Amino acid sequence: MPGAIELPVEILPMSATDIDDVFAIELGVCPFPWGPGNFKDCLQSGYSCRVCRIGGELVGYFVVMLAVDDAHLLTIGVADKWQGKGFGARLLRHAMHVGREQGAQTFLLEVRPSNAKAVSLYRHFGFKQIGVRRNYYPAENGREDALVMTYPLAELTT
């Protein structure tokens, strides 16, 4: 598009000052959102917490916890107005690289079966389902299972 201005996309370490904006996104995209305290705890625990900014606006985030040889994606989210534009894929790819840089051999995550967009994204990346955690997530009418999916980080390319 002639004359269009490309805004810079940055993926940066999350800081305590980002938590209100991260929580606002979390409220909009998760049926049972984490609270600000969850994100503060992750920062204090030294987990890999990142935010995505476009022209300074916070549009997404992720949290990865390293556990032995696994990088475990604890949460990932993209603001509603930025969904469908490739930012979820960009954040996921970055999270996987963070895990590999920290020495993880595999990337692990749980996802609600009802979250079809997320399941599709993970399968597109080559994640394989390795199990089900019964009654893992809170749901409107009780609990919902989680699909456990994994990806071998040795296969990760740019």
Side-chain angles (χ1 to χ4, degrees):
M1 177 186 234
I5 298 172
E6 289 292 322
L7 296 175
V9 177
E10 300 174 295
I11 299 179
L12 307 163
M14 184 187 298
S15 71
T17 60
D18 294 319
I19 290 176
D20 287 343
D21 290 336
V22 168
F23 180 59
I25 294 172
E26 179 86 355
L27 282 173
V29 298
C30 294
F32 295 88
W34 280 16
N38 296 101
F39 292 102
K40 287 177 188 170
D41 290 346
C42 289
L43 285 171
Q44 290 172 348
S45 295
Y47 296 166
S48 296
C49 307
R50 303 288 191 276
V51 295
C52 178
R53 292 186 175 279
I54 300 172
E57 179 183 353
L58 197 147
V59 302
Y61 58 89
F62 69 78
V63 175
V64 171
M65 174 184 73
L66 191 64
V68 189
D69 290 337
D70 292 330
H72 190 161
L73 182 67
L74 299 181
T75 189
I76 187 169
V78 175
D80 279 334
K81 80 175 193 176
W82 293 98
Q83 289 186 8
K85 299 175 180 4
F87 293 105
R90 186 180 287 210
L91 280 167
L92 178 60
R93 186 176 296 107
H94 192 90
M96 293 166 72
H97 279 282
V98 165
R100 186 171 70 183
E101 289 165 5
Q102 293 180 343
Q105 302 298 307
T106 57
F107 198 84
L108 178 75
L109 59 86
E110 292 89 10
V111 61
R112 291 174 184 270
S114 63
N115 189 345
K117 287 195 300 188
V119 171
S120 177
L121 174 67
Y122 300 140
R123 288 194 174 132
H124 173 77
F125 266 76
F127 280 81
K128 303 289 185 225
Q129 182 179 334
I130 60 167
V132 174
R133 296 194 200 279
R134 300 278 175 220
N135 301 313
Y136 187 76
Y137 290 112
E140 288 298 323
N141 296 313
R143 308 286 298 175
E144 182 177 1
D145 293 344
L147 305 179
V148 182
M149 303 181 85
T150 190
Y151 182 90
L153 290 174
E155 297 178 11
L156 184 62
T157 60
T158 57

